[in-house]
Amino acid sequence: MPVINSNHSVKQTGFTLIEMIVGIVIFGIALSLVTTLIFPQARRSVDPIMQVRATELAGTLLREISAKAFDENSRGSIRCNDDLNADGDFNDAGEIACTAASDLGPEPGESRTASQSNFDDVDDYNGLVQGAGQADPIIRNSLGEVLVVDGQTLYAGFSVSVSVVYDGNMDGVADINQTAKLITVNVNTPGGETLQFARYRSNY
Ligand SMILES: [Ca+2]
Ligand SMILES: [Ca+2]
Ligand SMILES: [Ca+2]
Ligand SMILES: [Ca+2]
């Protein structure tokens, strides 16, 4: 018959206070390494995706703008600032001056919103601001429609702003030479990055 020794002592196992403190310190160091090394890497890996999407958005907008007439005053075969009789002005029969630099922007009755999208010349887009945090919070297509893909608003969190100026000598700085307009699109990504894109539109 087996004999049960009820008096044997059981060795206590577990952590001492010092072991626990050392463990907590090591865990703390490991956690700080994760937050300082890995989390920023994760964020950086998102940035290229946002940059690609910002590039697509800017490209779409620049193509839309460039497809419009050079100027409100250019219609059909008539180009603004065409000096047909070569007398140095644009006020003779069949001639019309381009929009003054101070008037670049949409003409009365023109807008690019949900209810109306009737911009018809390049500089109508001067001052256009749409997207996250703006008075018009949705980035729309050329028809004023909201872009939705798989139930999600496309470009949610992005915002765009556009400027159009005369820059006839194409040096990136506005001037009084009205032979070309510089279209600049700034795209702000959800990560707070601002990317700038630009294109020239000549008077053709
Ligand atoms: Ca003339
Ligand atoms: Ca216009
Ligand atoms: Ca205009
Ligand atoms: Ca210039």
Side-chain angles (χ1 to χ4, degrees):
M1 184 176 173
V3 176
I4 299 170
N5 183 359
S6 61
N7 293 325
H8 80 280
S9 61
V10 177
K11 191 174 187 301
Q12 294 291 315
T13 57
F15 296 111
T16 65
L17 182 61
I18 291 174
E19 285 170 337
M20 284 182 68
I21 291 171
V22 170
I24 290 169
V25 168
I26 291 172
F27 178 72
I29 292 170
L31 193 64
S32 68
L33 281 173
V34 167
T35 52
T36 55
L37 296 178
I38 297 177
F39 288 171
Q41 293 295 334
R43 187 184 173 280
R44 267 198 285 274
S45 70
V46 171
D47 286 347
I49 299 170
M50 293 301 167
Q51 288 163 1
V52 167
R53 297 193 64 205
T55 306
E56 288 173 350
L57 174 57
T60 303
L61 199 50
L62 283 169
R63 279 192 294 278
E64 176 189 328
I65 299 170
S66 302
K68 304 295 181 187
F70 175 76
D71 195 274
E72 178 72 15
N73 297 337
S74 296
R75 286 288 173 266
S77 59
I78 299 174
R79 289 191 313 167
C80 66
N81 283 9
D82 238 357
D83 188 7
L84 298 175
N85 63 353
D87 70 344
D89 61 36
F90 310 118
N91 56 12
D92 299 291
E95 298 177 354
I96 187 162
C98 292
T99 302
S102 57
D103 292 333
L104 294 180
E107 279 64 42
E110 294 180 347
S111 65
R112 190 182 182 282
T113 61
S115 58
Q116 183 170 257
S117 183
N118 59 356
F119 281 180
D120 57 1
D121 69 85
V122 168
D123 66 68
D124 291 346
Y125 293 80
N126 184 36
L128 176 72
V129 181
Q130 275 183 345
Q134 305 302 328
D136 188 358
I138 309 276
I139 294 175
R140 302 168 190 286
N141 68 10
S142 60
L143 302 175
E145 298 165 341
V146 179
L147 300 160
V148 178
V149 174
D150 295 333
Q152 299 279 321
T153 304
L154 198 61
Y155 300 121
F158 285 81
S159 67
V160 293
S161 63
V162 183
S163 81
V164 181
V165 296
Y166 285 115
D167 180 15
N169 67 353
M170 298 188 184
D171 65 350
V173 181
D175 56 43
I176 58 169
N177 184 334
Q178 299 185 340
T179 55
K181 286 174 178 172
L182 170 61
I183 309 157
T184 306
V185 174
N186 283 305
V187 180
N188 297 304
T189 70
E193 214 179 345
T194 300
L195 289 91
Q196 191 171 79
F197 304 84
R199 176 183 280 190
Y200 280 98
R201 173 73 155 79
S202 298
N203 185 7
Y204 55 79

